[in-house]
Amino acid sequence: MNQALTTVAAGFGTGLSLIVAIGAQNAFVLRQGARRDAVLAVVGICALSDAVLIALGVGGVGALVVAWPGALRAVGLVGGAFLLCYGALAARRVLRPGTGLRTEGEAVGSRRRAVLTCLAMTWLNPHVYLDTVFLLGSLAAGRGSLRWTFGLGAALASVCWFAALGFGARLLGRFLARPAAWRVLDGLVAVTMLALGATLVAGA
């Protein structure tokens, strides 16, 4: 039980570190929440899409490792190198902060348009496949029989983050509009990613 809880926590922390990176999807969810426009639909699409992509990563990469044990080493090296680069970029953003997350913009206009925009931002983003499918899948593969538990933690992180962005937009919008807030978040992301990357490379 303790091992399962630790694995869920590890998946939660890793998933959260990948999701909180500033980007168009987060800005869109925050804008929808600030306007209280189709919030439940947008949050649901983002969280469910992440869950599907995480499952594809955990199942696909995990199956590859079972079929070819040597793949775990290759995945560990590639995934670890990517994490180290990811962490370095987050550290660079701490030293050179941006302008924060902007929530202003034109109104979406309709629930259908909001849903279509959300789907496009989620599924047409090439980085989501690298981060969510390959990277989380490779990290989960290293957990062996607990890889699905790790994936569950990552999926829970997605639900919590998007729900906080969408339904807490009135409070979070002011906080995330400050560059200093993203420096703190990027600092946490950098530490987490660098530690995970080093662990993966060392294990491989």
Side-chain angles (χ1 to χ4, degrees):
M1 177 64 73
N2 289 336
Q3 189 176 8
L5 290 175
T6 302
T7 304
V8 168
F12 188 94
T14 304
L16 196 60
S17 296
L18 291 171
I19 295 168
V20 300
I22 188 170
Q25 187 187 47
N26 283 337
F28 177 75
V29 175
L30 195 58
R31 280 197 298 269
Q32 294 299 117
R35 299 182 183 117
R36 299 180 183 178
D37 184 5
V39 181
L40 182 59
V42 168
V43 169
I45 289 171
C46 291
L48 182 59
S49 296
D50 267 12
V52 172
L53 290 165
I54 290 169
L56 289 174
V58 174
V61 178
L64 175 63
V65 170
V66 171
W68 180 40
L72 183 59
R73 183 179 180 183
V75 165
L77 288 172
V78 176
F82 177 78
L83 280 173
L84 291 173
C85 293
Y86 197 103
L89 289 174
R92 183 173 181 270
R93 289 195 299 270
V94 174
L95 299 175
R96 298 180 180 180
T99 58
L101 192 61
R102 298 180 179 179
T103 59
E104 67 271 10
E106 297 180 358
V108 173
S110 70
R111 181 179 298 271
R112 181 174 180 272
R113 183 176 176 181
V115 168
L116 292 176
T117 302
C118 186
L119 287 171
M121 286 187 172
T122 301
W123 291 94
L124 298 182
N125 179 9
H127 294 290
V128 75
Y129 297 99
L130 182 60
D131 294 353
T132 310
V133 177
F134 176 76
L135 187 52
L136 279 175
S138 64
L139 290 170
R143 299 281 172 169
S145 60
L146 290 175
R147 64 180 184 273
W148 287 106
T149 307
F150 183 90
L152 174 62
L156 288 175
S158 178
V159 172
C160 292
W161 174 252
F162 287 120
L165 270 187
F167 296 106
R170 296 288 173 143
L171 299 175
L172 289 176
R174 297 176 182 176
F175 173 73
L176 295 179
R178 303 173 183 174
W182 285 100
R183 293 187 73 178
V184 174
L185 289 175
D186 280 328
L188 295 173
V189 169
V191 171
T192 303
M193 294 295 99
L194 290 173
L196 285 173
T199 302
L200 267 184
V201 171

